[in-house]
């Protein structure tokens, strides 16, 4: 059971916002059974990113890196959006401009029905050529573990951003522009330690948006938000939508 309070100001902002940007991280998918990266049970507690999620690791041992991504891909393919994803998809239908910026590679926002989605870190369900960058659909190693090749001869790799790589610049630029124009900004289920995504709340603040964080625990950036709601996003987001629809505010117990 979690307790959180939405202020009357947030309710009013929620009702009157015309340009909304939401940033999500692994926490929004936790209630769909997908592990987060940090904290108890986080992937980076059991696996070393430098062995599995860097370009060097991929070139050193592409089979090992593919094996790890395949195990995550299989889990993600069967995962279903949770009430948090679904509430965001519903919210998009209620405001004139709604942009969802996600660090997640699981594709669950689109599966939930969200349309205007920027995937900052790529999508684990897609592959691309490590040399020429051509998109290669869902290409994956066969049971013999052989790495598929692009027509240019390059190795197929998961279409995700690895540590040390730059984010797709067009996606990042569009996301930053959307944040700069937002009047209401939510950061949901992210530890706010990975940049450049963690710059987005500051951009929102600088441009005068009302900013809200939803997380189970305080984060590196909690202090800069106008409002922080502590609890699971899969409970808080549907409750906010319901409260806004009913014109309520104040303490809501989930
Ligand atoms: P993290 O694992 O760093 O943080 C997840 C956050 O979600 C934590 O702050 C949790 O407290 C919070 N959380 C967990 N369950 C929640 C729930 N039900 N409701 C609300 N909050 C919840 O994940 P990210 O911040 O997304 O990068 O990590 C950023 C990047 O680091 C990832 O995109 C990935 C990783 O290395 C790449 O793979 C490039």
């Amino acid at each position: 059971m979690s307790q959180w309070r939405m202020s009357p100001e947030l309710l009013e902002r929620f009702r009157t916002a015309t340009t909304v940007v939401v940033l999500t991280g692994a926490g929004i998918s936790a209630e769909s059974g997908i592990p987060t990266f940090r904290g108890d049970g986080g992937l980076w507690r059991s696996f070393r990113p430098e062995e599995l999620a860097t370009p060097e690791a991929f070139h050193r041992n592409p089979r090992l890196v593919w094996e790890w991504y395949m195990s995550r891909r299989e889990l993600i393919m069967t995962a279903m959006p949770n009430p948090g994803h679904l509430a965001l998809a519903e919210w998009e239908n209620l405001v004139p401009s709604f942009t969802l910026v996600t660090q997640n590679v699981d594709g669950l926002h689109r599966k939930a029905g969200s349309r205007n989605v920027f995937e900052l870190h790529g999508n684990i369900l897609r592959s691309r050529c490590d040399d020429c960058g051509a998109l290669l659909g869902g290409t994956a190693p066969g049971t013999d573990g052989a790495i598929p090749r692009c027509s240019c001869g390059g190795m197929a790799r998961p279409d995700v951003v690895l540590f040390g790589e730059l984010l797709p610049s067009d996606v990042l630029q569009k996301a930053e522009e959307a944040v700069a124009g937002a009047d209401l900004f939510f950061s949901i289920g992210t530890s706010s330690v990975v940049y450049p995504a963690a710059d987005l709340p500051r951009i929102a603040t600088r441009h005068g948006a009302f900013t809200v964080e939803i997380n189970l625990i305080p984060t590196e950036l909690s202090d800069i938000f106008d409002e922080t709601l502590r609890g699971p996003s899969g409970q808080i987001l549907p409750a906010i939508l319901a409260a806004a629809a009913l014109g309520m505010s104040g303490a809501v117990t989930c």
Side-chain angles (χ1 to χ4, degrees):
M1 173 131 123
S2 67
Q3 271 208 324
W4 56 278
R5 173 178 290 270
M6 177 169 61
S7 70
E9 178 169 14
L10 171 54
L11 185 72
E12 190 53 25
R13 298 272 186 171
F14 193 89
R15 284 222 206 85
T16 55
T18 57
T19 311
V20 175
V21 178
V22 174
L23 169 69
T24 62
I28 190 136
S29 295
E31 290 159 82
S32 293
I34 300 174
T36 60
F37 292 93
R38 299 172 184 81
D40 291 342
L43 291 170
W44 296 149
R45 282 277 168 98
S46 328
F47 299 100
R48 290 161 61 87
E50 58 276 27
E51 281 172 13
L52 295 169
T54 64
E56 295 75 22
F58 182 71
H59 294 131
R60 200 167 48 236
N61 194 344
R63 282 188 187 215
L64 175 73
V65 172
W66 257 116
E67 230 169 73
W68 191 67
Y69 278 96
M70 282 306 288
S71 69
R72 290 179 57 210
R73 194 185 262 190
E74 278 156 21
L75 173 70
I76 283 166
M77 276 166 73
T78 57
M80 293 305 289
N82 66 58
H85 296 109
L86 296 171
L88 291 176
E90 192 183 332
W91 192 3
E92 184 169 3
N93 296 325
L94 303 175
V95 280
S97 167
F98 186 95
T99 305
L100 187 39
V101 181
T102 188
Q103 299 167 83
N104 298 346
V105 296
D106 57 32
L108 284 179
H109 286 303
R110 284 191 202 279
K111 208 170 181 176
S114 288
R115 299 181 305 276
N116 193 26
V117 182
F118 293 122
E119 291 173 321
L120 292 179
H121 293 165
N123 189 310
I124 198 171
L125 303 174
R126 283 193 312 255
S127 305
R128 72 175 151 87
C129 175
D130 187 49
D131 281 353
C132 73
L135 290 176
L136 302 172
T139 303
T143 42
D144 62 354
I147 311 297
R149 297 269 167 183
C150 173
S151 56
C152 81
M155 284 190 291
R157 58 168 274 182
D159 187 18
V160 297
V161 174
L162 301 173
F163 278 98
E165 291 183 322
L166 294 175
L167 273 58
S169 57
D170 53 332
V171 178
L172 178 62
Q173 190 188 335
K174 284 182 189 150
E176 286 173 346
E177 283 168 9
V179 172
D183 50 25
L184 180 59
F185 175 89
F186 271 59
S187 171
I188 305 172
T190 173
S191 55
S192 297
V193 295
V194 173
Y195 287 80
D199 276 327
L200 297 179
R202 286 205 174 85
I203 295 176
T205 302
R206 249 195 335 268
H207 286 83
F210 189 79
T211 57
V212 182
E213 177 181 69
I214 299 178
N215 201 303
L216 299 179
I217 55 172
T219 71
E220 298 283 317
L221 288 187
S222 290
D223 288 349
I224 75 162
F225 289 91
D226 293 306
E227 192 144 336
T228 51
L229 304 174
R230 296 271 161 261
S233 47
Q235 294 179 20
I236 293 178
L237 285 166
I240 294 178
L241 257 74
L246 292 171
M248 292 160 39
S249 70
V252 179
T253 304
C254 301

